[in-house]
């Protein structure tokens, strides 16, 4: 029997009973539990097989609850929250003592966001506790953007996926930390860096793949571990598709292009992220296309690098991690 359901009241019942439920957001589906329930939070880590040092994002229904969670809000954090919430920006701020160490991996900061999805906003409004929710995928595999992706991963491990349709943004939230009250991007994501800079000025990116490719220590945002968001199939990112195709002559090839169709008889399947060259559309299609190709038992997935601005930059970041 399917665990996918639209029944918000049932999700409330399960979450209130310290169980975990997969929930829709505008970015990716999350695996959610009551932040104050040790049982629920442990079960999130166990279900995902995620190491305990990798902290979770706290989801709240509105900016009004931010001061319940964090001890201090820098001016630029306030500006970003006002500009982008509800929406795909996560702020990493000094935590209040009430936030359990299990949520933060022992750090004195907590990641928090207001997701922009009507179903989950209603759920959060009806609950009297915030939800911790990492992406609803086994550790380091491709994030889920449909209820079916989650069910395929976890049908034997969880009791319910709250169905909110396909995620519209399609890649994870942009994570912003603060050093000396100045914002720093810890993870590129669904909010384009240019949009953020329009609110707070020039912003530094830390912990990207290019700056810290093979980290042995715990990174500031462990989602920035080099290998992440990865298909099981060998994946290659390239700026020159024709040349790369020639390298895999006798292989079963799946090709992901930005917008064009490539004429080359050795390609088994090819999919364009956005035929009209739209970066938002590309982001919303990315993980579903990776899921599809990964299920086809190909020898290699070749992905074309996108233009390196706006959401193209965030997509390139994810594709780079998929190749590690
Ligand atoms: O879009 C999203 O952000 C989705 C949806 C479900 O909200 N969530 C998500 O969670 O991507 P997750 O756990 O897959 O990624 C959260 C990232 C992790 O890389 C984690 O290390 C980082 O946020 N993080 C959480 N708390 C942190 C903290 N206190 N300091 C630095 N990084 C933190
Ligand atoms: Mg994740």
């Amino acid at each position: 029997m399917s665990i996918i359901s639209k029944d918000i009241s049932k999700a409330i019942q399960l979450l209130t009973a310290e169980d975990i439920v997969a929930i829709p957001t505008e970015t990716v589906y999350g695996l959610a539990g009551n932040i104050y329930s040790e049982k629920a939070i442990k079960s999130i880590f166990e279900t995902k097989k995620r190491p305990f040092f990798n902290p979770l994002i706290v989801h709240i229904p509105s900016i009004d609850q931010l001061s319940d969670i964090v001890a201090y809000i820098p001016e630029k954090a306030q500006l970003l929250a006002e500009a982008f919430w509800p929406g795909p920006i996560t702020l990493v701020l000094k935590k209040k003592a009430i936030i359990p160490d299990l949520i933060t991996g022992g750090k004195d900061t907590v990641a928090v966001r207001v997701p922009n999805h009507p179903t989950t906003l209603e759920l959060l409004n009806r609950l009297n506790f915030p939800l911790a929710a990492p992406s609803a995928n086994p550790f380091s595999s491709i994030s889920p953007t449909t209820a079916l992706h989650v069910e395929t991963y976890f049908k034997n491990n969880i009791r319910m996926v709250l169905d909110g349709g396909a995620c519209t943004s399609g890649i994870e939230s942009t994570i912003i930390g603060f050093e000396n009250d100045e914002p720093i991007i810890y993870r590129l994501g669904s909010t384009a860096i240019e949009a953020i800079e329009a609110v707070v000025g020039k912003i530094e990116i830390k912990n990207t793949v290019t700056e810290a490719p093979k980290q042995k220590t715990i990174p500031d945002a462990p989602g920035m571990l080099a290998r992440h968001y990865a298909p099981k199939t060998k994946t290659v990112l390239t700026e020159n598709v024709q040349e790369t195709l020639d390298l895999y002559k006798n292989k079963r090839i799946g090709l992901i292009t930005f917008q064009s169709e490539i004429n080359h008889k050795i390609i088994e399947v090819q999919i364009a992220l956005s035929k009209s060259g739209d970066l938002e559309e590309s982001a919303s299609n990315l993980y579903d296309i990776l899921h599809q190709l990964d299920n086809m038992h190909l020898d290699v997935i070749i992905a074309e690098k996108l233009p390196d601005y706006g959401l193209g930059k965030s997509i390139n970041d994810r594709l780079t991690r998929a190749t590690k």
Side-chain angles (χ1 to χ4, degrees), residues 129-311:
F129 47 82
L131 292 175
S135 52
N137 52 288
F139 188 58
S140 18
S141 51
I142 309 165
S143 294
T145 53
T146 66
L148 195 61
H149 292 160
V150 185
E151 186 176 59
T152 306
Y153 280 141
F154 293 130
K155 55 179 170 299
N156 298 323
N157 313 91
I158 65 174
R159 294 168 68 182
M160 179 177 178
V161 183
L162 180 59
D163 189 2
C167 303
T168 49
S169 298
I171 55 176
E172 297 81 355
S173 61
T174 303
I175 301 183
I176 301 185
F178 291 83
E179 288 174 18
N180 302 319
D181 288 356
E182 283 303 311
I184 291 173
I185 294 191
Y186 284 167
R187 175 176 76 181
L188 291 163
S190 268
T191 303
I193 181 167
E194 293 85 348
I196 295 166
E197 288 184 332
V199 176
V200 292
K202 191 86 193 133
I203 185 164
E204 186 190 338
I205 305 174
K206 210 173 146 178
N207 257 331
T208 60
V209 162
T210 41
E211 284 167 28
K214 287 199 177 87
Q215 302 173 50
K216 293 277 187 296
T217 54
I218 300 172
D220 279 345
M224 306 318 275
L225 288 166
R227 182 184 159 82
H228 217 101
Y229 316 105
K232 296 183 289 296
T233 314
K234 176 187 169 70
T235 304
V236 178
L237 180 63
T238 179
E239 286 179 52
N240 189 330
V241 173
Q242 292 287 354
E243 222 174 81
T244 309
L245 285 169
D246 291 337
L247 298 176
Y248 293 93
K249 278 213 177 78
N250 298 315
K251 303 284 184 195
R252 297 186 56 211
I253 299 174
L255 175 67
I256 302 174
T257 61
F258 175 32
Q259 57 178 133
S260 53
E261 200 177 312
I262 305 281
N263 234 329
H264 205 304
K265 57 181 182 309
I266 70 168
I267 302 167
E268 176 144 340
V269 50
Q270 64 173 306
I271 309 182
L273 288 173
S274 165
K275 289 207 166 88
S276 62
D278 182 281
L279 292 169
E280 272 79 25
E281 187 187 13
S282 298
S284 80
N285 286 335
L286 178 69
Y287 288 149
D288 189 52
I289 290 173
L290 281 174
H291 277 281
Q292 283 178 42
L293 294 187
D294 203 24
N295 288 333
M296 293 183 66
H297 308 288
L298 299 160
D299 293 318
V300 61
I301 297 170
I302 296 174
E304 179 181 34
K305 198 171 174 202
L306 268 65
D308 210 35
Y309 55 81
L311 293 189

Side-chain angles (χ1 to χ4, degrees), residues 29-81:
Y29 274 73
L31 194 56
N34 177 353
I35 65 164
Y36 300 118
S37 160
E38 191 177 314
K39 181 176 168 229
I41 302 308
K42 282 195 167 148
S43 151
I44 290 175
F45 280 99
E46 277 157 20
T47 304
K48 271 185 70 80
K49 302 204 167 25
R50 174 172 172 132
F52 279 102
F53 68 71
N54 196 347
L56 307 180
I57 296 176
V58 172
H59 296 70
I60 54 175
S62 91
I63 193 171
D64 300 338
Q65 284 79 36
L66 182 59
S67 52
D68 301 344
I69 309 288
V70 308
Y72 166 66
I73 306 171
E75 204 180 313
K76 288 186 178 174
Q78 183 72 28
L79 286 176
L80 287 168

